[in-house]
Amino acid sequence: MTSSPRFDRLLLTGAAGGIGRQLRPRMRSWCHALRVSDIAGLGDAAPGEELQPARLEDAAAVQALCAGVQAVVHLGGISVEAAWQPILEANIVGVYHLYEAARRHGVRRIVFASSNHVTGFYRQDETIDALAPPRPDTLYGVSKAFGETLSRMYFDRHGIQTVCLRIGSVTPKPENRRMLATWLSIDDLERLVWASLTTPVAGHSIVFGCSDNTVRWWDNRHAAHIGFRPQDSSEPFRAELEAAEPAWLDAADPVVRYQGGRFVELGPFEG
Ligand code: 15L
């Protein structure tokens, strides 16, 4: 992405998570110092890395994370459906702590890992753009919608620019028919994060994170200024995926009907 570091210090939260582990080595060459944080083990520090474990619910620890940082890639928090309390602590209180820390330390840009589950209750035969009202499919999706709204307020009041990435499905290759639309290759995710960090004027933007797939549910027309050009596609995997699933999926099945897929049926709801 770059031959010489573009930033002095970047912060990557959620660095021990599924996406964080893959982005971490790719981000090292982007900056002189990469501060990496998580509640899970971070392993050894590579040259140029600063390891700083922190719980997002701990305001003081999050304040310390943002000291001396130019920009943040915030992947931290819970990345699937869960019970209300952990979602509240990590994704709602946690994202508030992050923006407060960013404000106090003068951080000018944040790339916020939102999710396609903010709009999971749109149907698979609908095409939506960033202006479509949120229709979250889970408490997790609600928490990401909160992060998007909070970041909007921090942009309007404090000028902190945020690119909210409504990430689709980041896997080595698409695993089912739904991922023909939602798949985002790790190389395209890297391109998306790089474009979000380096575009001169990001403002407050929402970008759907998918590769250059032929099946499209998401229209990124309102994020053209980010300059994200995906280069991979799920299409070469279509024959393999179609062979593995029945020719006619039940269109009345909510998992087939809605963009959120199986998330529309997940939840801590009992009784
Ligand atoms: C997400 O937001 C999750 O973090 C990930 O585990 C996948 O389930 C993905 O969405 C998806 O929709 O495939």
Side-chain angles (χ1 to χ4, degrees):
M1 244 20 53
T2 176
S3 49
S4 56
R6 184 77 75 90
F7 300 92
D8 286 335
R9 180 179 285 104
L10 292 175
L11 167 64
L12 173 65
T13 70
I19 294 180
R21 279 198 307 273
Q22 299 183 75
L23 265 188
R24 177 175 166 182
R26 293 165 185 250
M27 286 178 62
R28 255 176 233 141
S29 62
W30 301 359
C31 49
H32 294 291
L34 179 63
R35 184 172 293 163
V36 293
S37 183
D38 207 297
I39 51 171
L42 289 160
D44 296 328
E49 282 188 347
E50 303 169 352
L51 308 189
Q52 205 163 317
R55 298 193 72 78
L56 294 169
E57 344 25 334
D58 179 342
V62 178
Q63 281 292 331
L65 280 184
C66 285
V69 154
Q70 267 179 300
V72 179
V73 176
H74 182 51
L75 306 181
I78 294 174
S79 62
V80 288
E81 181 60 324
W84 171 242
Q85 200 59 32
I87 291 270
L88 173 66
E89 288 166 11
N91 290 18
I92 293 187
V93 175
V95 75
Y96 166 69
H97 286 163
L98 182 83
Y99 275 86
E100 264 305 279
R103 181 181 69 80
R104 291 200 191 176
H105 287 287
V107 176
R108 303 314 297 160
R109 188 170 302 194
I110 297 180
V111 178
F112 170 56
S114 183
S115 170
N116 73 90
H117 296 288
V118 168
T119 48
F121 263 116
Y122 284 94
R123 295 189 319 271
Q124 295 192 7
D125 60 347
E126 291 176 291
T127 303
I128 57 170
D129 63 28
L131 299 184
R135 294 183 69 179
D137 55 24
T138 39
L139 296 176
Y140 161 63
V142 171
S143 75
K144 291 298 182 182
F146 173 81
E148 292 186 357
T149 305
L150 185 83
S151 61
R152 174 86 238 181
M153 190 271 281
Y154 274 86
F155 174 61
D156 288 336
R157 283 190 74 133
H158 307 295
I160 300 175
Q161 302 191 73
T162 292
V163 183
C164 301
L165 310 183
R166 287 191 181 158
I167 298 173
S169 308
V170 180
T171 50
K173 56 182 205 161
E175 293 170 356
N176 51 45
R177 290 276 279 278
R178 174 175 171 270
M179 287 193 196
L180 281 177
T182 64
W183 189 59
L184 175 64
S185 73
I186 186 67
D187 288 344
D188 280 341
L189 175 65
E190 181 184 1
R191 290 179 189 107
L192 177 55
V193 173
W194 174 255
S196 301
L197 282 173
T198 57
T199 194
V201 181
H204 181 271
S205 305
I206 293 173
V207 190
F208 290 90
C210 61
S211 285
D212 188 19
N213 304 328
T214 303
V215 179
R216 293 302 287 253
W217 302 334
W218 306 325
D219 178 342
N220 270 332
R221 79 176 83 183
H222 300 295
H225 57 285
I226 303 295
F228 168 50
R229 278 272 191 97
Q231 290 175 25
D232 295 319
S233 168
S234 60
E235 203 55 25
F237 302 93
R238 176 188 282 276
E240 187 185 319
L241 293 170
E242 287 183 348
E245 289 182 29
W248 290 98
L249 298 174
D250 177 5
D253 178 350
V255 171
V256 173
R257 191 164 176 207
Y258 295 111
Q259 297 188 4
R262 68 186 177 85
F263 273 59
V264 304
E265 292 186 338
L266 294 178
F269 309 105
E270 282 169 18

